[in-house]
Amino acid sequence: MTACTLDIICETAMGVSINAQDGQNIEYVRAVHEIEDSFMYRFVRPWLHSDFIFKWTSYGKRYMDNIRRVQALTKKETLRLYPIVPFIARECYESFTVCKYRFNCSFIV
């Protein structure tokens, strides 16, 4: 994935300017590229298609570390853009108000 593509996707989907073309956010850009490399490495080796085997290889360990890095930024930006999401994803035991809307919790949200 080119730096331009990564800039466009992050700006459009998350509203975050990572400036990959300018050499900023190197850790995030490197994580995305290593995820791509690990995916292709695994794709051409049928014995690594099993998650059980792949997770014990050096590529598998690096892949999981990079996935965590990318997900951390994604979660952070999702909570910034959509602060209501944590309320919706939880079980609700009492009524609550968000903005001007009142939610009755006689059911699981």
Side-chain angles (χ1 to χ4, degrees):
M1 183 179 303
T2 65
C4 178
T5 306
L6 197 54
D7 276 343
I8 292 169
I9 291 172
C10 288
E11 185 73 35
T12 304
M14 295 187 290
V16 172
S17 180
I18 63 166
N19 298 321
Q21 296 178 71
D22 298 334
Q24 297 177 5
N25 290 315
I26 295 171
E27 184 178 324
Y28 181 79
V29 174
R30 186 178 302 136
V32 170
H33 287 297
E34 285 186 11
I35 288 170
E36 292 173 6
D37 293 341
S38 295
F39 176 78
M40 289 308 298
Y41 180 83
R42 184 178 186 185
F43 182 74
V44 297
R45 291 165 178 81
W47 59 91
L48 294 178
H49 289 185
S50 168
D51 288 337
F52 180 76
I53 295 171
F54 183 68
K55 72 179 180 182
W56 295 106
T57 65
S58 62
Y59 273 90
K61 291 175 185 174
R62 249 191 0 235
Y63 175 81
M64 290 310 297
D65 288 340
N66 289 322
I67 289 289
R68 283 187 205 101
R69 279 190 194 100
V70 170
Q71 285 179 343
L73 176 71
T74 305
K75 286 177 186 176
K76 180 178 122 188
E77 292 306 318
T78 301
L79 289 175
R80 182 183 64 83
L81 293 171
Y82 309 106
I84 190 66
V85 171
F87 291 112
I88 294 172
R90 297 183 193 155
E91 290 185 10
C92 180
Y93 298 105
E94 58 186 47
S95 299
F96 63 94
T97 304
V98 175
C99 296
K100 61 181 180 177
Y101 301 103
R102 181 107 177 119
F103 293 92
N104 187 357
C105 290
S106 58
F107 58 92
I108 296 177
V109 179

mmCIF file of all heavy atoms in Angstrom, residues 38 41-42 48 51 53-68:
data_model
loop_
_atom_site.group_PDB
_atom_site.id
_atom_site.type_symbol
_atom_site.label_atom_id
_atom_site.label_comp_id
_atom_site.label_asym_id
_atom_site.label_seq_id
_atom_site.Cartn_x
_atom_site.Cartn_y
_atom_site.Cartn_z
ATOM 1 N N SER A 38 3.458 -9.849 6.080
ATOM 2 C CA SER A 38 3.131 -11.088 6.785
ATOM 3 C C SER A 38 1.982 -11.823 6.106
ATOM 4 O O SER A 38 1.977 -13.051 6.024
ATOM 5 C CB SER A 38 2.750 -10.794 8.239
ATOM 6 O OG SER A 38 3.842 -10.275 8.941
ATOM 7 N N TYR A 41 3.425 -13.455 2.982
ATOM 8 C CA TYR A 41 4.290 -14.558 3.404
ATOM 9 C C TYR A 41 3.445 -15.775 3.770
ATOM 10 O O TYR A 41 3.731 -16.900 3.366
ATOM 11 C CB TYR A 41 5.128 -14.104 4.603
ATOM 12 C CG TYR A 41 6.076 -15.149 5.136
ATOM 13 C CD1 TYR A 41 7.316 -15.332 4.550
ATOM 14 C CD2 TYR A 41 5.736 -15.932 6.228
ATOM 15 C CE1 TYR A 41 8.205 -16.275 5.040
ATOM 16 C CE2 TYR A 41 6.602 -16.885 6.725
ATOM 17 C CZ TYR A 41 7.839 -17.051 6.126
ATOM 18 O OH TYR A 41 8.704 -17.995 6.613
ATOM 19 N N ARG A 42 2.377 -15.531 4.497
ATOM 20 C CA ARG A 42 1.494 -16.618 4.933
ATOM 21 C C ARG A 42 0.684 -17.179 3.770
ATOM 22 O O ARG A 42 0.442 -18.383 3.694
ATOM 23 C CB ARG A 42 0.550 -16.083 6.008
ATOM 24 C CG ARG A 42 -0.337 -17.121 6.609
ATOM 25 C CD ARG A 42 -1.203 -16.508 7.681
ATOM 26 N NE ARG A 42 -1.970 -17.536 8.361
ATOM 27 C CZ ARG A 42 -2.878 -17.286 9.279
ATOM 28 N NH1 ARG A 42 -3.126 -16.053 9.650
ATOM 29 N NH2 ARG A 42 -3.538 -18.275 9.837
ATOM 30 N N LEU A 48 1.212 -22.553 6.727
ATOM 31 C CA LEU A 48 0.994 -21.462 7.680
ATOM 32 C C LEU A 48 -0.442 -20.949 7.670
ATOM 33 O O LEU A 48 -0.770 -19.999 8.374
ATOM 34 C CB LEU A 48 1.946 -20.302 7.384
ATOM 35 C CG LEU A 48 3.424 -20.586 7.606
ATOM 36 C CD1 LEU A 48 4.253 -19.378 7.234
ATOM 37 C CD2 LEU A 48 3.688 -20.997 9.040
ATOM 38 N N ASP A 51 -4.103 -20.914 11.924
ATOM 39 C CA ASP A 51 -3.767 -19.905 12.935
ATOM 40 C C ASP A 51 -2.908 -20.488 14.047
ATOM 41 O O ASP A 51 -2.031 -19.817 14.584
ATOM 42 C CB ASP A 51 -5.043 -19.317 13.544
ATOM 43 C CG ASP A 51 -5.786 -18.408 12.590
ATOM 44 O OD1 ASP A 51 -5.158 -17.879 11.655
ATOM 45 O OD2 ASP A 51 -6.995 -18.230 12.790
ATOM 46 N N ILE A 53 -0.591 -22.751 13.935
ATOM 47 C CA ILE A 53 0.822 -22.823 13.552
ATOM 48 C C ILE A 53 1.399 -21.430 13.335
ATOM 49 O O ILE A 53 2.492 -21.111 13.803
ATOM 50 C CB ILE A 53 0.990 -23.691 12.279
ATOM 51 C CG1 ILE A 53 0.584 -25.130 12.585
ATOM 52 C CG2 ILE A 53 2.415 -23.624 11.751
ATOM 53 C CD1 ILE A 53 0.506 -26.027 11.368
ATOM 54 N N PHE A 54 0.658 -20.574 12.616
ATOM 55 C CA PHE A 54 1.173 -19.255 12.252
ATOM 56 C C PHE A 54 1.499 -18.399 13.468
ATOM 57 O O PHE A 54 2.493 -17.681 13.475
ATOM 58 C CB PHE A 54 0.166 -18.529 11.357
ATOM 59 C CG PHE A 54 0.643 -17.198 10.872
ATOM 60 C CD1 PHE A 54 1.698 -17.105 9.981
ATOM 61 C CD2 PHE A 54 0.030 -16.028 11.296
ATOM 62 C CE1 PHE A 54 2.141 -15.876 9.527
ATOM 63 C CE2 PHE A 54 0.462 -14.800 10.855
ATOM 64 C CZ PHE A 54 1.520 -14.719 9.964
ATOM 65 N N LYS A 55 0.683 -18.488 14.513
ATOM 66 C CA LYS A 55 0.907 -17.609 15.677
ATOM 67 C C LYS A 55 2.215 -17.920 16.413
ATOM 68 O O LYS A 55 2.692 -17.092 17.171
ATOM 69 C CB LYS A 55 -0.277 -17.666 16.631
ATOM 70 C CG LYS A 55 -0.397 -18.955 17.407
ATOM 71 C CD LYS A 55 -1.585 -18.896 18.344
ATOM 72 C CE LYS A 55 -1.702 -20.179 19.119
ATOM 73 N NZ LYS A 55 -2.868 -20.155 20.001
ATOM 74 N N TRP A 56 2.805 -19.087 16.190
ATOM 75 C CA TRP A 56 4.052 -19.446 16.863
ATOM 76 C C TRP A 56 5.293 -19.078 16.046
ATOM 77 O O TRP A 56 6.403 -19.192 16.545
ATOM 78 C CB TRP A 56 4.066 -20.934 17.199
ATOM 79 C CG TRP A 56 3.001 -21.282 18.188
ATOM 80 C CD1 TRP A 56 1.837 -21.940 17.942
ATOM 81 C CD2 TRP A 56 2.985 -20.950 19.573
ATOM 82 N NE1 TRP A 56 1.086 -22.043 19.079
ATOM 83 C CE2 TRP A 56 1.776 -21.443 20.108
ATOM 84 C CE3 TRP A 56 3.859 -20.280 20.421
ATOM 85 C CZ2 TRP A 56 1.432 -21.282 21.439
ATOM 86 C CZ3 TRP A 56 3.511 -20.130 21.756
ATOM 87 C CH2 TRP A 56 2.319 -20.631 22.248
ATOM 88 N N THR A 57 5.109 -18.640 14.805
ATOM 89 C CA THR A 57 6.253 -18.247 13.978
ATOM 90 C C THR A 57 6.638 -16.808 14.286
ATOM 91 O O THR A 57 5.858 -16.045 14.878
ATOM 92 C CB THR A 57 5.920 -18.371 12.476
ATOM 93 O OG1 THR A 57 4.890 -17.432 12.154
ATOM 94 C CG2 THR A 57 5.479 -19.782 12.117
ATOM 95 N N SER A 58 7.836 -16.412 13.873
ATOM 96 C CA SER A 58 8.260 -15.024 14.092
ATOM 97 C C SER A 58 7.373 -14.061 13.301
ATOM 98 O O SER A 58 7.046 -12.974 13.781
ATOM 99 C CB SER A 58 9.725 -14.843 13.705
ATOM 100 O OG SER A 58 9.912 -15.126 12.333
ATOM 101 N N TYR A 59 6.976 -14.471 12.094
ATOM 102 C CA TYR A 59 6.064 -13.633 11.313
ATOM 103 C C TYR A 59 4.723 -13.489 12.020
ATOM 104 O O TYR A 59 4.141 -12.411 12.028
ATOM 105 C CB TYR A 59 5.843 -14.228 9.910
ATOM 106 C CG TYR A 59 6.878 -13.797 8.902
ATOM 107 C CD1 TYR A 59 8.033 -14.538 8.718
ATOM 108 C CD2 TYR A 59 6.689 -12.658 8.137
ATOM 109 C CE1 TYR A 59 8.981 -14.156 7.793
ATOM 110 C CE2 TYR A 59 7.626 -12.268 7.209
ATOM 111 C CZ TYR A 59 8.768 -13.008 7.040
ATOM 112 O OH TYR A 59 9.714 -12.619 6.123
ATOM 113 N N GLY A 60 4.231 -14.558 12.593
ATOM 114 C CA GLY A 60 2.956 -14.523 13.304
ATOM 115 C C GLY A 60 2.999 -13.618 14.518
ATOM 116 O O GLY A 60 2.054 -12.869 14.791
ATOM 117 N N LYS A 61 4.093 -13.669 15.261
ATOM 118 C CA LYS A 61 4.233 -12.816 16.447
ATOM 119 C C LYS A 61 4.321 -11.348 16.058
ATOM 120 O O LYS A 61 3.686 -10.485 16.671
ATOM 121 C CB LYS A 61 5.454 -13.242 17.253
ATOM 122 C CG LYS A 61 5.266 -14.601 17.907
ATOM 123 C CD LYS A 61 6.516 -15.072 18.594
ATOM 124 C CE LYS A 61 6.297 -16.488 19.120
ATOM 125 N NZ LYS A 61 7.501 -17.058 19.678
ATOM 126 N N ARG A 62 5.104 -11.057 15.011
ATOM 127 C CA ARG A 62 5.200 -9.683 14.526
ATOM 128 C C ARG A 62 3.868 -9.197 13.968
ATOM 129 O O ARG A 62 3.483 -8.046 14.156
ATOM 130 C CB ARG A 62 6.280 -9.585 13.444
ATOM 131 C CG ARG A 62 7.457 -8.822 13.898
ATOM 132 C CD ARG A 62 8.468 -8.446 12.865
ATOM 133 N NE ARG A 62 8.212 -8.852 11.506
ATOM 134 C CZ ARG A 62 9.036 -9.565 10.764
ATOM 135 N NH1 ARG A 62 10.177 -9.973 11.273
ATOM 136 N NH2 ARG A 62 8.751 -9.863 9.523
ATOM 137 N N TYR A 63 3.168 -10.101 13.279
ATOM 138 C CA TYR A 63 1.859 -9.780 12.722
ATOM 139 C C TYR A 63 0.891 -9.365 13.826
ATOM 140 O O TYR A 63 0.208 -8.344 13.710
ATOM 141 C CB TYR A 63 1.329 -11.000 11.954
ATOM 142 C CG TYR A 63 -0.067 -10.863 11.426
ATOM 143 C CD1 TYR A 63 -0.314 -10.175 10.250
ATOM 144 C CD2 TYR A 63 -1.149 -11.438 12.088
ATOM 145 C CE1 TYR A 63 -1.598 -10.051 9.752
ATOM 146 C CE2 TYR A 63 -2.437 -11.316 11.602
ATOM 147 C CZ TYR A 63 -2.650 -10.621 10.432
ATOM 148 O OH TYR A 63 -3.926 -10.495 9.944
ATOM 149 N N MET A 64 0.829 -10.129 14.904
ATOM 150 C CA MET A 64 -0.080 -9.809 16.005
ATOM 151 C C MET A 64 0.305 -8.495 16.691
ATOM 152 O O MET A 64 -0.566 -7.711 17.076
ATOM 153 C CB MET A 64 -0.137 -10.952 17.013
ATOM 154 C CG MET A 64 -0.834 -12.189 16.482
ATOM 155 S SD MET A 64 -2.444 -11.884 15.718
ATOM 156 C CE MET A 64 -3.373 -11.249 17.095
ATOM 157 N N ASP A 65 1.607 -8.236 16.855
ATOM 158 C CA ASP A 65 2.047 -6.966 17.443
ATOM 159 C C ASP A 65 1.611 -5.791 16.571
ATOM 160 O O ASP A 65 1.148 -4.765 17.077
ATOM 161 C CB ASP A 65 3.567 -6.940 17.610
ATOM 162 C CG ASP A 65 4.045 -7.844 18.727
ATOM 163 O OD1 ASP A 65 3.231 -8.188 19.606
ATOM 164 O OD2 ASP A 65 5.240 -8.208 18.712
ATOM 165 N N ASN A 66 1.766 -5.951 15.266
ATOM 166 C CA ASN A 66 1.380 -4.874 14.350
ATOM 167 C C ASN A 66 -0.128 -4.683 14.305
ATOM 168 O O ASN A 66 -0.611 -3.557 14.226
ATOM 169 C CB ASN A 66 1.926 -5.153 12.947
ATOM 170 C CG ASN A 66 3.425 -4.995 12.898
ATOM 171 O OD1 ASN A 66 3.989 -4.115 13.531
ATOM 172 N ND2 ASN A 66 4.084 -5.859 12.154
ATOM 173 N N ILE A 67 -0.874 -5.772 14.380
ATOM 174 C CA ILE A 67 -2.335 -5.669 14.432
ATOM 175 C C ILE A 67 -2.744 -4.880 15.671
ATOM 176 O O ILE A 67 -3.622 -4.015 15.614
ATOM 177 C CB ILE A 67 -2.995 -7.073 14.430
ATOM 178 C CG1 ILE A 67 -2.847 -7.737 13.072
ATOM 179 C CG2 ILE A 67 -4.453 -7.010 14.853
ATOM 180 C CD1 ILE A 67 -3.695 -7.128 11.981
ATOM 181 N N ARG A 68 -2.105 -5.151 16.802
ATOM 182 C CA ARG A 68 -2.428 -4.413 18.032
ATOM 183 C C ARG A 68 -2.138 -2.925 17.883
ATOM 184 O O ARG A 68 -2.902 -2.077 18.354
ATOM 185 C CB ARG A 68 -1.649 -4.991 19.212
ATOM 186 C CG ARG A 68 -2.240 -6.272 19.721
ATOM 187 C CD ARG A 68 -1.565 -6.747 21.013
ATOM 188 N NE ARG A 68 -1.731 -8.177 21.107
ATOM 189 C CZ ARG A 68 -0.810 -9.077 20.808
ATOM 190 N NH1 ARG A 68 0.396 -8.704 20.434
ATOM 191 N NH2 ARG A 68 -1.054 -10.369 20.913
#
